[in-house]
Structure formats: C-alpha cells, structure tokens
Amino acid sequence: MNDSAATPKQILEALLFAAEEPLSSRRLAGMLEEVTPSVIADLVRELNADYLRETRAFQVQEVAGGYRLVTRAEFASWVGELRASGASPRLSQAALETLSIVAYKQPVTRAELESIRGVAVEGVLKTLVDRELVRIAGREEGMGRPLLYGTTDHFLEYFGLPSLDSLPRPDELEILFADRERQEELQLEDELAAPAFGEHVAADEE
Amino acid sequence: MNDSAATPKQILEALLFAAEEPLSSRRLAGMLEEVTPSVIADLVRELNADYLRETRAFQVQEVAGGYRLVTRAEFASWVGELRASGASPRLSQAALETLSIVAYKQPVTRAELESIRGVAVEGVLKTLVDRELVRIAGREEGMGRPLLYGTTDHFLEYFGLPSLDSLPRPDELEILFADRERQEELQLEDELAAPAFGEHVAADEE
Amino acid sequence: MADEARSGHTVRIESLDFEGPLDLLVYLVQKNEVDIWDIPIALITEQFLGYLQGMTAERLESAGEFLLMAATLLRIKSQMLLPRPQLEDDEEIEDPRRELVLKILEYQQFREIAEELRDRESAGRLVFPRGLQEWDDELERESGPGMPEPEDRVSLGDLLRSFTRLIDEARRDRVHHLEPLAVTIEEKVNFVRERLRRDGQTSFRDLFVAGEPRSHWIVTFVALLEMVREGEVRLRQGETFGEIHVYAAGEGDGVA
C-alpha cells in the first residue's frame, strides 16, 4: 500500500491513534527511537497543521503531561449522541470548590479543606476519590497523621489541562493581598485617629 | 476554527473515530440525517482515498458489524509494543475483595483469607501473585508454617498510593466509604465534636 | 434579636441555596456592595441570622456550620463595640474582623478557580478521545492491531469500598462467621495450661469466661476434653452436680 518506509510522523500518529491514555513525549520518544522528546513536540505541531489543512474531525490535544487525539468541539452534538451512555455527570459546585482547593493546596488534609470551605467535605471527597479526580497523597506528620489528598492525572485529563502549572494563576489573590497591605496601612492610620472600632463610623465613611 | 458548517464526511469521520464498536451504515445514516446508507459507502470510500493521499497511519475498515477505523498493518509492531506495555483484564470482584483483605491484614495466611471471605481463595491468590499485586511475604511460625501473603510495590503503583501507610485506616474508611446512613451518623458526631469556628481561626494565626 | 433580624433583609435571601456559611457571607458582602476591608458587621450579622431563621428543614443538616459562623459574627460584633484600649506608640491592635475577612477572601478566590474549572469541564465535554474497542484476533491478523484492549482498571475507591463492605458484612453476622474462627482449640489449651500453672487448679466454671460468645465455650470444652484424653489434666467432682475441679496431671487425686 505504501512502499516507502514508515516516517516518524506516521508512527507517532499510529501510536496516538491506538493509545487509550495520553502518551508523554518521553514515552513516545522511547518507542520511536532516534527521536528526542523535543522532536516529538515538533511532530505533534506538524500533525495538527496537517489535520487543520485537511479538515480532519480530530486533533492532537496536549493534556496531563502527554498527547492524545480528540474530536474537535464542533462535532460534539453528533459524537455526544454516540457516547451518551458513557457520559459522567457534571461535578457539583461543592465538588468543584473542593477540587480547586485540593489542586492549589496539595497535599492537603480534610481539616484544611473544611477550614477553607467552612463546611464538611467528606461526602464530596468520597465522590472525588471515586471519580479518580482526587487521590490519597500520603499522611501528614504529627498528631493523628491525617491523610493527605492530591489531584490525579485523570483530573488533568478531565479538565483538559497539560499540567498543574497550567491551572489559572491566582493573580487576583496577589492583587488582593497587595491591596490588603495597602489597606492595612490605611487602617492603622485610621485606628490611630479613631476612638473605637465603631462600625457606624465605618459605614458613615461610605 | 472552522467557519464552514460540518460536512457529512467530517461528521462520519468524527463518529468512526469515537465509536466503541463498528458502526453499521444504517446506524451512521440515522445519525447523519439526510443521508442514505448507500451514501455512507461513498463517503467511506472518499475518506479512505483522503487517508491514502495524505499518508495517514490509519484507514476505515469494513467488518461484519459495519465500519471502524484501524491503524494500518505496517504500524503493527509499534502499536503492538504500546499494547504490550499496558492492558490487563479487569480484576474480578473476588480478586478485589481478597486483595483488600491482604492489604489490610498483611502478612496474612491463606486460611485467614478464607475464613474472612468464607470461600476458597487459592485461584484468586494465584491470579494476584501472577499480576504482581500480591507477594509471598514469608512463613508463619508454628504449626505447618503456612505461607504469609502481603502486597507488592506494584500494588501501591496500581492504586496510586505513595506508601502502604497511606491506606485509609478503618476509622478513615468509615468516613470515606461507609454506607450513607452511617455516614450521616458520623457526620453528626463530627459536628457535635467540632471546635467552634472562632477557635480554629485563632489557631490559624500561628 | 429575632424580630430585629426579621425586620432586616431576609426576604429574598431565604429562598436561595448556599454551599455553606462562607458562600452566604460572600453573597451578603456583594449584595450590600460593602468594602470587604470594612464590613459593616452589625448589618451583615443581622442579615446572616435572618437567613438562618428562614432556613428550611431540608437544609438543617448543615445548620451546625451556619450556627458556628453566626456565633463568630456575634463575637466579632461585640468586640467591635468594646471601647478601644489606650495604645502605646508602636502597639498595634488587630481589627476583630480581620481573620474573617481573610477567610472570605480565600474562599472567594477558590470559588473563582472553581468557576474556571467549570468552564473547562464544559469545554472538555465537547471533545472525545478515541473510542475503546474490543478486538478479536482474527480481525487483527488482517489489519494489525487497532486499539489495545480496554484496560479496565480498578480504582482505589473500588478496593476500599470492597473492604468496607466486607467489614460491614462481618459486623452484621459477627456471631455466625467471625467469632467461631476467632479462637482455636490450641489457644484454649494454652489458656487452660496457663491457668493451671498459675493456680495449680481451677474450677471448671472459671474456665468459661463470662461475656465470651457461646462458641468460645464450646472450643474451651473441646480443648479440655482433649487434655483429659492426653492425660494432661484430671477432673474431679466433689459431689454429684457439684463444682468440677480441674487439676494438672499428677496434682490432686481421682479421675473423672
């Protein structure tokens, strides 16, 4: 069918096509031989350019420390019909909040999660462990040695994240904290002048 | 990404790409709408011509049940390598139960496993040892010196546990996996025992 | 206090559902458009309590958390009303609201990240990886392998749930399954030996430990019979239906 020898790009495509999980560039490079991980990234770019030009219905996605082939979003309604039975339910607000804390604070104990959310999280944690979005990451040293939780590779896959670093940076927080320091200075000045912490005084300022 | 509307050929490709079983032309025609089964055969021919021209590593294959996408035969050795490195059949419920007892009671004899599970576990133990989830951990002192079983490093890897010590203790298990009813009871106890919000705020200051 | 709170701003809030007390606080801060660094604590406390009063029975399971927060708010409110102590030049006094504000901000930040995750979840639901197919060998020989067999992994959750279920079952039929196996004849033989070594003799009745399940008594009895058969112990009964005494062989006299 094809007389010429298989090219690295074709082999890469065959591997991505046949894989059931994202393949890291290291693993791909190991199987391709004579190819370094950085070449893999170039080949992936070439493949995606091919697919775009040839209006293929899928593309290579960089996710969870590797690459995988996925359908393009514009075919979601057709493919969704096909895969409807396998779809997992959307995560609840409680699950998403808990998950975002786990993602940023990991490894993190249940007590810390509850202190930040202000509510019990055990039911939510169970769901997240069940859905393999959260894993047990060890135990904290010290009293009671509570379990520590962290996110899984499936977490990255589920949210289409190449790595944990690609989580949205909490820039807002930095702004808030900078703000807080300024506020504290102001407040201190206020305090020195004011007789009491009267909130009516504060309200009047508005 | 793609301004023009999705074409039937693209939709067909997306469906074949994501399908978990061969799709019959009748089923495909049903999902594509406005397309007869005979048109499907034409579209498949077009797709295969595209793939050949563009030297893609896969093709549409017609099998008994319909059509499916497969990698071309010339990439078999690479795909075979990928396959060899993953994939083993799912553990049976019996294996899972036995494994959970080994994990918690190790080192444990076969007799103990059988007394807890109430059935013979010889075959299951062999499977677990073959799959390198369970190992022989020594012999018990005393009568008959029966073999003792324990879990392996691969067991930890398989379940994403950093160490044996991070297996939830029975009390932690109750919180994570107890029946709904008992969980509610526990939750209530927790609440009654929980420190006042103000207290852990104060503790956080440190 | 109740009437005061009711006269406040409870009307629209009570029909809303909140994830927890912090969620409610964030809502109140935003709704009132107050400066987060200068929260009018009396107003917010009043509205917060108003919400608690409107809480429906179904929400009561999380009432504890709301009540704790209410207590915190009331404490802060009372601290705010205290006259401020005289300050030395470089002495700082912390605003009683500060810890609460930091908590609200931290929570708010994670809520924003949760929103981002929600968007990503929605986007993720629009793309699909390759479908995993089962392949039979015959077809593979023709075409080369397409996909590996689905690696149907068992998760840690499956493993833990499986163990939990076993514990539950064991608990339910403890008497039938676990207890008889919890003690062996050998252990009971040792137990009798130990007792005889210590006391020289023992009464038959004392060997049957109160509170032990009946099945253990049977094991003890079988152990005792075994020891009599081996000539290791002797039994003596003073009178018919009287107390039976157990001696190590060679001690006492008369054999049962």
Side-chain angles (χ1 to χ4, degrees):
Chain A
M1 196 157 289
N2 191 354
D3 287 334
S4 58
T7 66
K9 188 168 80 174
Q10 282 180 309
I11 299 168
L12 172 67
E13 183 177 53
L15 290 170
L16 289 174
F17 190 84
E20 56 179 291
E21 61 198 357
L23 298 173
S24 67
S25 41
R26 191 134 51 97
R27 192 162 166 211
L28 286 165
M31 285 188 285
L32 274 147
E33 295 158 29
E34 294 170 40
V35 158
T36 63
S38 73
V39 172
I40 298 289
D42 293 339
L43 291 173
V44 164
R45 260 190 299 276
E46 278 183 47
L47 271 180
N48 267 338
D50 289 356
Y51 295 157
L52 205 60
R53 192 180 56 247
E54 297 156 8
T55 65
R56 296 272 72 89
F58 44 82
Q59 63 190 329
V60 185
Q61 184 190 38
E62 188 180 354
V63 77
Y67 300 101
R68 68 173 178 187
L69 281 167
V70 294
T71 54
R72 288 189 192 281
E74 59 249 56
F75 303 102
S77 59
W78 290 279
V79 180
E81 199 185 324
L82 189 69
R83 292 287 229 35
S85 58
S88 50
R90 282 173 183 277
L91 293 167
S92 67
Q93 177 66 21
L96 286 169
E97 282 181 16
T98 306
L99 203 46
S100 55
I101 305 171
V102 174
Y104 277 91
K105 296 271 183 181
Q106 62 186 314
V108 64
T109 63
R110 180 165 67 103
E112 285 174 85
L113 293 171
E114 293 186 339
S115 153
I116 292 172
R117 286 201 59 227
V119 292
V121 299
E122 56 216 15
V124 173
L125 262 183
K126 173 184 156 17
T127 308
L128 294 174
V129 171
D130 256 4
R131 289 187 61 172
E132 295 195 71
L133 293 163
V134 162
R135 69 193 175 93
I136 294 171
R139 285 186 184 278
E140 191 164 61
E141 292 308 317
M143 274 271 285
R145 310 201 63 231
L147 289 172
L148 290 165
Y149 297 92
T151 53
T152 60
D153 279 351
H154 180 60
F155 163 81
L156 296 174
E157 270 174 55
Y158 188 82
F159 292 105
L161 293 162
S163 70
L164 275 178
D165 294 338
S166 40
L167 272 173
R169 275 301 309 159
D171 292 331
E172 297 87 67
L173 183 77
E174 277 155 35
I175 294 163
L176 281 172
F177 268 84
D179 216 32
R180 190 185 93 207
E181 256 135 54
R182 218 188 51 241
Q183 287 281 357
E184 269 169 11
E185 280 163 30
L186 291 172
Q187 219 164 324
L188 200 64
E189 285 163 28
D190 271 8
E191 275 166 23
L192 292 172
F197 287 119
E199 67 263 30
H200 54 277
V201 175
D204 287 349
E205 282 172 27
E206 290 301 296
Chain B
M1 189 151 293
N2 191 353
D3 287 333
S4 57
T7 67
K9 188 168 79 176
Q10 282 180 308
I11 299 168
L12 172 66
E13 183 178 53
L15 290 170
L16 290 173
F17 177 91
E20 290 172 325
E21 65 213 342
L23 298 174
S24 68
S25 41
R26 189 132 53 94
R27 188 157 171 219
L28 286 164
M31 286 189 283
L32 275 149
E33 293 158 30
E34 294 170 37
V35 159
T36 62
S38 73
V39 173
I40 297 291
D42 293 338
L43 290 174
V44 165
R45 260 190 299 278
E46 277 183 51
L47 272 180
N48 269 335
D50 289 355
Y51 295 157
L52 203 60
R53 191 179 57 248
E54 296 155 8
T55 65
R56 296 274 69 96
F58 44 83
Q59 64 188 332
V60 184
Q61 186 188 44
E62 190 173 358
V63 294
Y67 299 102
R68 64 176 189 180
L69 276 169
V70 292
T71 47
R72 286 187 193 283
E74 60 250 54
F75 302 101
S77 63
W78 288 280
V79 175
E81 196 185 330
L82 181 73
R83 184 175 191 169
S85 58
S88 38
R90 186 183 169 88
L91 290 172
S92 67
Q93 184 58 32
L96 197 58
E97 282 183 14
T98 306
L99 187 56
S100 73
I101 304 169
V102 174
Y104 276 96
K105 302 273 183 188
Q106 63 185 307
V108 64
T109 64
R110 198 181 74 183
E112 283 175 88
L113 292 170
E114 292 183 341
S115 88
I116 294 172
R117 287 208 51 230
V119 293
V121 298
E122 197 170 356
V124 168
L125 261 183
K126 186 183 174 322
T127 307
L128 292 172
V129 171
D130 281 352
R131 292 188 56 175
E132 295 181 47
L133 291 164
V134 164
R135 70 194 168 93
I136 293 166
R139 283 187 184 275
E140 192 165 56
E141 292 307 315
M143 280 269 285
R145 308 200 65 230
L147 290 173
L148 288 165
Y149 295 90
T151 53
T152 60
D153 285 350
H154 179 59
F155 164 83
L156 296 176
E157 224 172 88
Y158 189 97
F159 291 105
L161 287 165
S163 64
L164 257 191
D165 164 63
S166 344
L167 262 181
R169 292 186 305 258
D171 56 317
E172 293 166 330
L173 264 186
E174 296 221 10
I175 291 166
L176 274 175
F177 289 101
D179 302 340
R180 183 103 197 102
E181 264 169 54
R182 265 229 317 290
Q183 206 157 355
E184 271 158 22
E185 274 169 39
L186 289 166
Q187 211 161 325
L188 199 64
E189 282 166 28
D190 260 17
E191 263 164 40
L192 294 174
F197 185 75
E199 282 170 38
H200 54 253
V201 169
D204 283 348
E205 280 173 36
E206 291 309 297
Chain C
M1 170 94 320
D3 285 339
E4 199 184 309
R6 224 181 263 289
S7 70
H9 311 256
T10 68
V11 192
R12 272 153 304 172
I13 312 174
E14 61 189 44
S15 59
L16 297 172
D17 225 13
F18 293 97
E19 284 295 322
L22 284 167
D23 192 19
L24 173 54
L25 278 181
V26 167
Y27 171 81
L28 292 176
V29 165
Q30 286 170 352
K31 184 181 82 111
N32 290 294
E33 293 178 4
V34 299
D35 176 4
I36 185 74
W37 293 107
D38 194 9
I39 295 176
I41 208 77
L43 174 71
I44 298 294
T45 304
E46 184 184 306
Q47 293 181 357
F48 191 94
L49 293 173
Y51 174 76
L52 283 201
Q53 296 203 319
M55 243 164 115
T56 52
E58 308 92 75
R59 300 278 306 152
L60 280 182
E61 85 261 16
S62 55
E65 290 145 352
F66 283 89
L67 287 173
L68 285 175
M69 179 60 83
T72 305
L73 287 171
L74 288 169
R75 195 200 66 212
I76 295 172
K77 186 178 155 190
S78 67
Q79 281 173 339
M80 299 287 288
L81 294 173
L82 287 178
R84 195 140 143 276
Q86 230 25 41
L87 285 180
E88 298 295 324
D89 273 354
D90 55 354
E91 205 179 342
E92 284 184 32
I93 189 161
E94 192 169 275
D95 188 324
R97 298 170 294 185
R98 185 167 178 274
E99 285 302 330
L100 181 66
V101 167
L102 292 183
K103 261 203 136 45
I104 294 175
L105 285 176
E106 187 179 35
Y107 174 70
Q108 212 172 0
Q109 190 211 351
F110 284 115
R111 259 197 1 179
E112 278 163 26
I113 295 162
E115 276 316 300
E116 171 85 24
L117 287 182
R118 187 188 294 292
D119 292 345
R120 288 189 156 269
E121 181 187 44
S122 300
R125 294 175 84 84
L126 298 179
V127 306
F128 297 84
R130 275 273 282 151
L132 301 176
Q133 303 194 358
E134 305 240 2
W135 299 88
D136 62 73
D137 287 342
E138 195 192 332
L139 288 172
E140 256 170 40
R141 248 177 281 125
E142 292 170 16
S143 64
M147 291 283 294
E149 293 281 339
E151 209 320 15
D152 216 351
R153 278 189 79 86
V154 194
S155 71
L156 179 65
D158 294 330
L159 180 80
L160 299 180
R161 207 168 314 103
S162 166
F163 188 68
T164 311
R165 201 177 36 245
L166 284 173
I167 297 176
D168 285 349
E169 274 168 23
R171 227 175 251 164
R172 256 195 303 282
D173 23 75
R174 175 170 296 162
V175 183
H176 308 290
H177 286 300
L178 279 190
E179 295 298 345
L181 298 154
V183 64
T184 64
I185 294 173
E186 204 181 11
E187 284 171 45
K188 282 298 180 190
V189 167
N190 286 331
F191 164 70
V192 174
R193 274 187 200 143
E194 192 52 46
R195 185 63 70 87
L196 291 175
R197 186 155 41 237
R198 196 185 67 193
D199 301 337
Q201 60 123 346
T202 179
S203 81
F204 186 80
R205 187 178 300 176
D206 283 350
L207 289 175
F208 300 91
V209 181
E212 257 191 340
R214 199 161 293 255
S215 57
H216 282 205
W217 291 4
I218 295 168
V219 177
T220 306
F221 187 67
V222 172
L224 206 54
L225 287 181
E226 190 72 12
M227 292 172 87
V228 170
R229 202 171 56 81
E230 296 288 325
E232 191 177 348
V233 300
R234 297 161 184 230
L235 306 179
R236 202 179 71 176
Q237 189 174 30
E239 55 191 80
T240 320
F241 301 122
E243 184 75 62
I244 296 172
H245 291 273
V246 183
Y247 299 89
E251 306 256 1
D253 43 69
V255 181

